[in-house]
Amino acid sequence: QKEVEQDPGPLSVPEGAIVSLNCTYSNSAFQYFMWYRQYSRKGPELLMYTYSSGNKEDGRFTAQVDKSSKYISLFIRDSQPSDSATYLCAMKPVDDYKLSFGAGTTVTVRA
Amino acid sequence: DSGVTQTPKHLITATGQRVTLRCSPRSGDLSVYWYQQSLDQGLQFLIQYYNGEERAKGNILERFSAQQFPDLHSELNLSSLELGDSALYFCASSEGKYRASQTGELFFGEGSRLTVL
């Protein structure tokens, strides 16, 4: 079993829809949770990060962490064609150097 | 632009060969990470260097090795290449002094796409 599980999709939605992405994990030591966005032929870039449980909102993006269920989510409201990318969840324990990544979910937003 | 530079962008070689991938981190970043990204395995951590010293090791094969030089650039050497080594290899850097940034933010280069025929 992988340490971080993420449905690779692909996911195709019409412009303006809400995109819902999620990951599950098995390591209870994870405390930092991140979402990276990767455009085609580019490297991943950090989109949002959350420490421990709770919600965090940044514009159209909302990240949620439920440590009791070992489940994290990313919601994209009013999705735009420019949001078309692969979204990777990542997480790490405190005082550890290594990020553990999910496989990534490929999202296409249709105009 | 993340500030991390990787060369070459594309590389095609044959099985059994050896290649070297090069990475220049962001100015001021002391930590360099190497990741392998393939379709079926996702992004896999290979190895981390901090200021010239190996700091953490992941799923790196014995046929692979890396080093970080005094000017902080890093090289990943892949030898006795097999078809299964075909993948995107990413270098990332972070601002960590003694450890990776608490936010977990890594700055990734655009990757080196290796094709082994």
Side-chain angles (χ1 to χ4, degrees), chain A residues 32 36 38 42-43 97-98, chain B residues 37 45 48 102 104 106 110:
Chain A
Y32 286 92
Y36 278 77
Q38 184 177 15
K42 298 290 186 182
Y97 311 104
K98 184 174 76 74
Chain B
Q37 187 176 42
F45 170 70
Q48 182 213 352
Q102 291 303 308
L106 299 181
E110 296 198 348

Side-chain angles (χ1 to χ4, degrees), chain B residues 32-61:
Chain B
V32 168
Y33 306 74
W34 286 97
Y35 281 83
Q36 180 192 57
Q37 187 176 42
S38 56
L39 281 174
D40 57 343
Q41 292 292 323
L43 208 56
Q44 298 289 314
F45 170 70
L46 296 179
I47 197 164
Q48 182 213 352
Y49 280 82
Y50 172 75
N51 202 20
E53 294 187 3
E54 182 183 305
R55 182 57 66 96
K57 219 169 192 177
N59 303 319
I60 188 166
L61 300 172

Side-chain angles (χ1 to χ4, degrees), chain B residues 2-115:
Chain B
S2 67
V4 178
T5 304
Q6 287 188 249
T7 56
K9 289 193 187 305
H10 301 277
L11 195 54
I12 302 174
T13 188
T15 55
Q17 295 299 303
R18 172 190 170 95
V19 298
T20 297
L21 309 180
R22 194 178 192 280
C23 169
S24 293
R26 284 192 328 158
S27 177
D29 283 356
L30 297 177
S31 283
V32 168
Y33 306 74
W34 286 97
Y35 281 83
Q36 180 192 57
Q37 187 176 42
S38 56
L39 281 174
D40 57 343
Q41 292 292 323
L43 208 56
Q44 298 289 314
F45 170 70
L46 296 179
I47 197 164
Q48 182 213 352
Y49 280 82
Y50 172 75
N51 202 20
E53 294 187 3
E54 182 183 305
R55 182 57 66 96
K57 219 169 192 177
N59 303 319
I60 188 166
L61 300 172
E62 285 192 12
R63 300 182 286 107
F64 296 0
S65 66
Q67 60 185 128
Q68 187 180 27
F69 295 87
D71 66 353
L72 301 178
H73 91 271
S74 178
E75 292 181 356
L76 178 67
N77 300 296
L78 315 174
S79 61
S80 302
L81 285 167
E82 302 175 359
L83 296 177
D85 297 327
S86 296
L88 258 175
Y89 291 85
F90 284 105
C91 170
S93 70
S94 75
E95 62 181 7
K97 294 184 173 71
Y98 299 103
R99 60 174 65 98
S101 165
Q102 291 303 308
T103 65
E105 181 165 17
L106 299 181
F107 296 88
F108 283 83
E110 296 198 348
S112 293
R113 182 174 295 279
L114 173 66
T115 302

Side-chain angles (χ1 to χ4, degrees), chain A residues 33-38 43-50 56 58 88-90 99 101, chain B residues 2 101-108:
Chain A
F33 303 91
M34 290 130 253
W35 287 94
Y36 278 77
R37 178 175 60 194
Q38 184 177 15
E45 57 179 348
L46 182 67
L47 192 58
M48 294 185 72
Y49 84 92
T50 310
K56 187 171 185 177
D58 183 1
L88 303 104
C89 62
L99 280 179
F101 282 87
Chain B
S2 67
S101 165
Q102 291 303 308
T103 65
E105 181 165 17
L106 299 181
F107 296 88
F108 283 83

